[in-house]
Amino acid sequence: MPAMKTAHLPRCCSPLNDHWPFTQPLLGAHLISTHFDAALVDDADYAAAGVHPVRGVAKRQAEHLAGRMCAREALYRVTGVASVPAVGEDRAPQWPEQVSGSITHSQGWAAAIVAPAQQWRGLGLDVERRLSSERAERLAGEILTADELSRIAPLTPELRAWQISLTFSLKESLFKALYPLVLTRFYFQDAEVLSIDSAQQTARLRLLIDLSEAWPAGSELSGLYAELDNQLLSLVAIAAD
């Protein structure tokens, strides 16, 4: 499906980009991204873009609007319909039944990924700014399990910070991919990153608690990641049965 030709793009957003940042493709998936400037957000853009406004500071408004613009384009590429996902009571995007999707934003950059549900029943996309060594060490005990902490113990402070940052993002992506399937909240200590392949930019994750009959403790999933300037982007995709 070609890009929309007449879509309104808010002044706060750069032209939409369909670059695929990961080393491995995802059949049927479309990832759309944009840079945004909170100083340029305009209330009128919400109505013009067909996006329900959100309350909050300019940064919150701009990232919400930018994320929905990416989602609308990604949905159009997959379904041919330029719809905007609503926000559910749990604050998660409400996607059409025939697709899976995910939205993320951080530090002036937003993206959305959408794919047919018949191919991918769960998608989790997350971008995080790389933590400084000092902040990474302060947060390590919240983000990493005891086994994960043990595995990164021999690393240099810089590599530790990088792996803590990536683990944070991968676990956020894992939650986004699984939550719509299990409707049960889980947290950083409820999953672990078993391995990271820096050559292929892939990772392996494992659940440490039972989420449902289909997703018991011990279930393993794979993830992808990419480095974007000073940010880390991760993706967990769950194939349809």
Side-chain angles (χ1 to χ4, degrees):
M1 183 71 65
M4 291 188 294
K5 295 181 179 179
T6 59
H8 172 82
L9 191 66
R11 288 191 310 122
C12 65
C13 296
S14 69
L16 301 180
N17 190 336
D18 61 2
H19 168 67
W20 183 259
F22 302 106
T23 58
Q24 299 181 15
L26 204 66
L27 186 64
H30 287 268
L31 190 154
I32 306 296
S33 65
T34 184
H35 289 87
F36 62 87
D37 183 347
L40 298 177
V41 68
D42 188 332
D43 290 344
D45 284 328
Y46 281 100
V51 177
H52 191 274
V54 295
R55 296 179 180 179
V57 298
K59 174 181 176 294
R60 169 67 180 128
Q61 293 176 335
E63 64 191 15
H64 176 81
L65 187 56
R68 261 53 187 184
M69 290 296 91
C70 294
R72 183 179 69 174
E73 178 66 28
L75 277 166
Y76 179 79
R77 300 280 183 104
V78 174
T79 69
V81 178
S83 59
V84 176
V87 180
E89 292 183 4
D90 55 4
R91 300 184 63 186
Q94 303 299 293
W95 300 97
E97 289 186 4
Q98 70 268 35
V99 305
S100 296
S102 186
I103 301 172
T104 190
H105 41 69
S106 175
Q107 301 296 311
W109 186 83
I113 186 170
V114 173
Q118 64 183 11
Q119 292 173 283
W120 304 98
R121 58 186 173 130
L123 292 175
L125 185 71
D126 182 74
V127 64
E128 299 291 340
R129 184 176 184 178
R130 289 180 61 170
L131 299 168
S132 66
S133 294
E134 295 77 11
R135 182 164 173 75
E137 294 302 332
R138 289 198 302 270
L139 295 175
E142 299 178 27
I143 299 169
L144 275 63
T145 64
D147 285 343
E148 288 172 324
L149 287 169
S150 178
R151 286 195 283 270
I152 70 167
L155 301 180
T156 65
E158 292 76 14
L159 285 176
R160 283 171 58 89
W162 180 87
Q163 192 145 329
I164 293 166
S165 302
L166 180 57
T167 298
F168 185 100
S169 184
L170 284 165
K171 289 186 179 182
E172 288 285 341
S173 289
L174 179 67
F175 177 84
K176 290 181 178 182
L178 277 176
Y179 176 74
L181 304 180
V182 300
L183 297 178
T184 299
R185 293 195 173 274
F186 59 99
Y187 305 93
F188 291 119
Q189 298 295 321
D190 297 330
E192 65 177 338
V193 175
L194 293 172
S195 62
I196 294 172
D197 184 332
S198 58
Q200 297 297 318
Q201 293 190 314
T202 61
R204 196 71 185 165
L205 300 95
R206 178 168 61 195
L207 290 177
L208 299 177
I209 64 168
D210 295 333
L211 294 178
S212 68
E213 288 188 7
W215 294 101
S219 300
E220 294 189 12
L221 303 93
S222 60
L224 303 173
Y225 72 90
E227 299 192 57
L228 306 173
D229 299 324
N230 197 39
Q231 300 195 101
L232 291 166
L233 180 69
S234 67
L235 171 65
V236 171
I238 300 171
D241 295 332

